[in-house]
């Protein structure tokens, strides 16, 4: 038993620092409860067989033949799902600066602390310095550093005068940055085009800024940036903040709202219907509202955060699409547990939450043929959980192993035991 625990710890260390050789042996996850798809019943006592970074077979223990010489992970009593997506993260904290020069173990440790230890095998970075984030991504994709698949919008388009002052950036722990500021359709198009030419995966804009000075992006600037993104087959993300920002974003054709908006009070049915008719996808970021008011009186914090929960409830009641995201990287409390609890409070079941972590983002970002489910032929991006989230949604954060492309990139340290 002690040897096993030492091996697990050693594997975790190796996953942090080593360049993995090309996987030749098969890997089998044996004996867990598998949620292959949030819409399907779980498969008990199942096996996931992985070969060459891809899921080779999924089935019950009797139905899947485990080849001789395969490496196995005993998943008895554990739960297996597809790899999670966090679709609202940032690589803007000072720790990510000069990404080309951060040592590989340190970079891997930082990626683990924010993302992979919580099962995130794919992330959408909704605003950072593209050249820097691209270096992080390149180092992960080369195999030098263990980390998630990264998509990014690069720099956020701001309304005129909207770039946060250095003092705000210092207090929030962020790198200093000069963001493109756009006043009308022509410069919004030009700024979006420059980013898309540089290779970003989407366009993010502040429909209304969150920090002083509070400014709203003119509607024709929103439309210009969105049109340019769509013309190139990319999605547009918006930070709405308040009523003007929200309506400008929705009416300007934005695809994804990266927050609920408790600042504006409850969402009524007409507003939710207009957003759904515009095919908007919502990232709720409910834990963020408690974090933002962490220095305020509990009653004020609870009331504000409760409005966000009510907005998500109204959204779900009218069948709005939700994808999971927490704004980590801006928020330096990385643990997603409270987000799962707040989503449940808003009426989402564990299956709904699983869909927001897997199938819904895979579909929204055009990756369903490779990701989002546990099925033969898909990338072997998987999460092994210590417990079944159907019994308690906090289990989504109780990650034992995170597997990306068939490679174990995180294993939880062995639990403390009384001697
Ligand atoms: Zn954010």
């Amino acid at each position: 038993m002690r040897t096993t625990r030492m091996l697990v710890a050693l594997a975790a260390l190796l996953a942090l620092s080593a360049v993995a050789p090309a996987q030749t042996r098969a890997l089998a996850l044996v004996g867990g409860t598998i949620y292959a798809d949030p819409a399907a019943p779980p498969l008990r006592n199942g096996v996931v067989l992985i070969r060459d970074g891809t899921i080779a077979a999924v089935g019950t223990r009797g139905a899947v033949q485990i080849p001789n010489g395969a490496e196995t992970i005993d998943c008895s009593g554990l739960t297996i799902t597809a790899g999670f997506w966090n679709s609202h993260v940032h690589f803007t904290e000072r720790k990510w600066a000069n990404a080309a020069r951060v040592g590989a173990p340190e970079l891997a440790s930082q990626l683990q602390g924010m993302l992979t230890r919580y099962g995130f095998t794919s992330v959408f970075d909704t605003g950072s310095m593209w050249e820097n984030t691209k270096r992080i991504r390149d180092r992960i994709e080369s195999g030098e550093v263990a980390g998630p698949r990264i998509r990014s919008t690069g720099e956020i388009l701001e309304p005129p005068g909207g770039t946060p002052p250095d003092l705000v950036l210092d207090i929030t722990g962020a790198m200093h940055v000069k963001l493109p500021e756009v006043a009308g359709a022509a410069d919004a198009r030009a700024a979006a085009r420059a980013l898309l030419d540089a290779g970003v995966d989407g366009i993010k804009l502040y429909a209304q800024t969150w920090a002083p000075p509070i400014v709203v992006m003119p509607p024709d600037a929103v439309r210009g940036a969105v049109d340019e993104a769509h013309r190139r087959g990319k999605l547009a993300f918006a930070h709405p903040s308040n009523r003007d920002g929200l309506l400008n974003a929705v009416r300007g054709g934005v695809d994804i709202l990266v927050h609920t908006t408790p600042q504006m009070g409850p969402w009524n049915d007409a507003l939710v219907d207009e957003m759904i008719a515009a095919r908007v996808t919502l990232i709720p970021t409910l834990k963020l509202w408690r974090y933002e008011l962490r220095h305020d009186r509990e009653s004020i914090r609870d009331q504000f955060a409760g409005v966000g929960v009510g907005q998500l409830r109204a959204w779900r009641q009218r069948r709005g699409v939700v994808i999971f995201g927490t704004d980590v990287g801006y928020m330096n409390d990385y643990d997603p547990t409270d987000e799962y609890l707040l989503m449940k409070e808003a009426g989402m079941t564990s299956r709904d939450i699983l869909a927001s972590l897997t199938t819904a983002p895979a579909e929204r970002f055009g990756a369903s043929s490779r990701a989002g489910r546990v099925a033969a032929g898909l990338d072997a991006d998987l999460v092994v959980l210590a417990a079944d989230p159907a019994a308690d949604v906090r289990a989504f954060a109780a990650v034992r192993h995170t597997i990306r492309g068939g490679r174990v990139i995180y294993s939880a340290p062995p639990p403390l035991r009384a001697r």
Side-chain angles (χ1 to χ4, degrees):
M1 188 60 203
R2 172 165 294 186
T3 314
T4 312
R5 269 189 262 152
M6 280 171 61
L7 285 174
V8 169
L10 187 64
L13 279 175
L14 288 172
L16 266 183
S17 57
V19 178
Q23 187 190 4
T24 47
R25 285 171 75 193
L27 171 66
L29 310 182
V30 181
T33 294
I34 303 171
Y35 284 91
D37 182 318
L43 187 67
R44 311 279 175 195
N45 198 13
V47 172
V48 181
L49 183 66
I50 298 162
R51 211 197 295 269
D52 299 325
T54 301
I55 299 170
V58 184
T60 54
R61 202 195 283 241
V64 176
Q65 173 117 33
I66 301 169
N68 287 335
E71 186 187 345
T72 60
I73 297 177
D74 179 8
C75 293
S76 307
L78 308 180
T79 297
I80 302 167
T81 73
F84 296 160
W85 293 61
N86 190 329
S87 302
H88 188 159
V89 310
H90 297 283
F91 294 101
T92 42
E93 284 178 274
R94 293 189 289 270
K95 64 169 77 169
W96 308 110
N98 301 311
R101 292 205 297 275
V102 182
E106 187 171 21
L107 187 55
S109 176
Q110 291 180 182
L111 289 162
Q112 186 174 98
M114 185 163 93
L115 300 165
T116 54
R117 65 167 291 194
Y118 296 113
F120 298 111
T121 55
S122 293
V123 299
F124 216 121
D125 157 54
T126 59
S128 67
M129 277 58 83
W130 170 233
E131 283 304 320
N132 196 61
T133 303
K134 188 167 175 296
R135 295 307 285 268
I136 299 173
R137 180 166 85 180
D138 289 347
R139 293 183 67 183
I140 295 170
E141 294 309 314
S142 74
E144 182 200 0
V145 171
R149 302 176 198 274
I150 296 175
R151 288 169 167 77
S152 176
T153 64
E155 282 81 355
I156 301 172
L157 305 194
E158 295 273 355
T163 302
D166 286 350
L167 179 62
V168 170
L169 296 171
D170 287 341
I171 291 169
T172 57
M175 295 176 245
H176 289 190
V177 62
K178 181 72 189 125
L179 297 173
E181 296 183 3
V182 299
D187 40 341
R189 273 183 187 283
R193 195 177 305 130
L195 283 163
L196 291 159
D197 286 346
V200 299
D201 304 290
I203 292 293
K204 161 78 176 290
L205 47 92
Y206 272 113
Q208 179 175 322
T209 55
W210 61 274
I214 302 293
V215 273
V216 178
M217 186 175 285
D220 62 334
V222 174
R223 175 54 78 182
V226 170
D227 285 351
E228 193 61 29
H230 288 175
R231 204 173 62 77
R232 306 276 284 264
K234 306 291 185 191
L235 299 175
F237 297 70
H239 178 112
S241 285
N242 214 330
R243 186 171 191 84
D244 290 335
L246 178 63
L247 290 177
N248 285 353
V250 171
R251 292 171 185 169
V254 160
D255 305 288
I256 296 170
L257 291 178
V258 300
H259 298 291
T260 45
T261 60
Q263 302 92 327
M264 66 179 278
W267 288 349
N268 62 34
D269 290 348
L271 177 64
V272 173
D273 285 345
E274 179 175 349
M275 290 159 71
I276 288 174
R279 295 173 40 89
V280 165
T281 296
L282 178 66
I283 302 173
T285 68
L286 299 177
K287 175 181 174 174
L288 175 68
W289 307 131
R290 299 185 66 80
Y291 175 86
E292 290 287 63
L293 272 62
R294 64 196 179 281
H295 305 300
D296 292 286
R297 277 171 48 190
E298 289 180 10
S299 54
I300 296 171
R301 182 197 64 196
D302 292 349
Q303 197 275 337
F304 187 76
V307 175
V309 171
Q311 290 171 341
L312 177 58
R313 189 178 297 117
W315 181 253
R316 290 293 301 166
Q317 280 168 353
R318 299 178 97 77
R319 304 241 164 275
V321 178
V322 174
I323 59 178
F324 186 87
T326 47
D327 210 358
V328 289
Y330 165 71
M331 182 165 66
N332 63 13
D333 174 356
Y334 302 141
D335 186 338
T337 306
D338 287 349
E339 189 72 17
Y340 299 130
L341 288 168
L342 290 162
M343 291 169 97
K344 181 179 179 231
E345 191 182 327
M348 292 180 74
T349 65
S350 66
R351 302 288 192 93
D352 294 335
I353 296 171
L354 180 60
S356 80
L357 285 161
T358 57
T359 46
E363 203 167 293
R364 197 69 192 91
F365 301 130
S368 291
S369 65
R370 304 245 35 99
R373 291 171 297 121
V374 187
L378 270 62
D379 291 334
D381 289 5
L382 299 155
V383 185
V384 181
L385 301 171
D388 189 338
D392 185 336
V393 295
R394 290 178 297 179
F396 281 120
V399 173
R400 281 287 182 85
H401 304 285
T402 304
I403 298 165
R404 185 209 144 158
R407 178 181 167 200
V408 178
I409 57 170
Y410 169 73
S411 287
L416 269 181
R417 299 262 167 98
R419 297 226 234 179

